[in-house]
């Protein structure tokens, strides 16, 4: 199941994603895809590799995976926080609310 499908299940009644939020979801999904690829690299190469002088060192994919997981989690939290925020319209009769401002981190 994709991130968008997961989030759609959590949507409050009457809420729909703005174009800005959909872009944020797409970026978070890309980050999750990167996490999956990095996990495959670590599974095939292991957590330690040989350095240029023959020493054992931590696989660079290990720290990149940690950072990617953190960033994906942060992006998803921003999206979920926005889903819980109920904004008033910026002006009477306008279509969009202040959703773009609540996405910024």
């Amino acid at each position: 199941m994709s991130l968008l499908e997961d989030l759609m299940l959590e949507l409050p009644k009457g809420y729909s994603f703005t174009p800005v939020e959909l872009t944020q979801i797409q970026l978070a999904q890309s980050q999750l895809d990167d996490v999956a690829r990095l996990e495959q690299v670590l599974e095939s190469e292991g957590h330690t590799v040989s350095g240029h002088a023959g020493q054992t060192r931590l696989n660079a994919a290990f720290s990149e995976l940690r950072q990617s997981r953190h960033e994906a989690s942060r992006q998803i939290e921003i999206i979920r926080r926005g889903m819980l925020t109920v904004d008033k319209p910026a002006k009477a009769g306008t279509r969009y609310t202040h959703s773009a401002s609540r996405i910024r981190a």
Side-chain angles (χ1 to χ4, degrees):
M1 188 178 265
S2 73
L3 176 60
L4 179 58
E5 292 169 336
D6 286 344
L7 291 173
M8 293 293 281
L9 295 174
E10 299 175 23
L11 276 181
K13 185 177 180 181
Y15 188 92
S16 61
F17 291 117
T18 65
V20 172
E21 290 170 322
L22 290 172
T23 300
Q24 187 72 23
I25 291 168
Q26 184 181 19
L27 292 172
Q29 182 64 59
S30 293
Q31 193 73 43
L32 291 173
D33 294 343
D34 290 345
V35 165
R37 283 190 289 276
L38 286 167
E39 287 172 341
Q40 289 175 347
V41 167
L42 283 176
E43 189 175 312
S44 67
E45 293 180 2
H47 288 92
T48 57
V49 294
S50 294
H52 70 282
Q55 78 279 19
T56 301
R57 64 175 185 81
L58 187 63
N59 190 332
F62 188 79
S63 59
E64 184 63 32
L65 176 60
R66 184 183 56 79
Q67 291 172 345
S68 295
R69 284 178 177 158
H70 175 75
E71 182 59 22
S73 173
R74 189 184 73 79
Q75 290 174 4
I76 293 167
E77 180 59 30
I78 290 169
I79 294 164
R80 284 193 170 122
R81 230 179 319 166
M83 290 167 48
L84 299 176
T85 304
V86 178
D87 291 328
K88 295 179 183 176
K91 295 180 184 175
T94 59
R95 184 173 170 201
Y96 297 105
T97 62
H98 296 287
S99 298
S101 64
R102 70 173 189 241
I103 290 298
R104 290 186 220 133

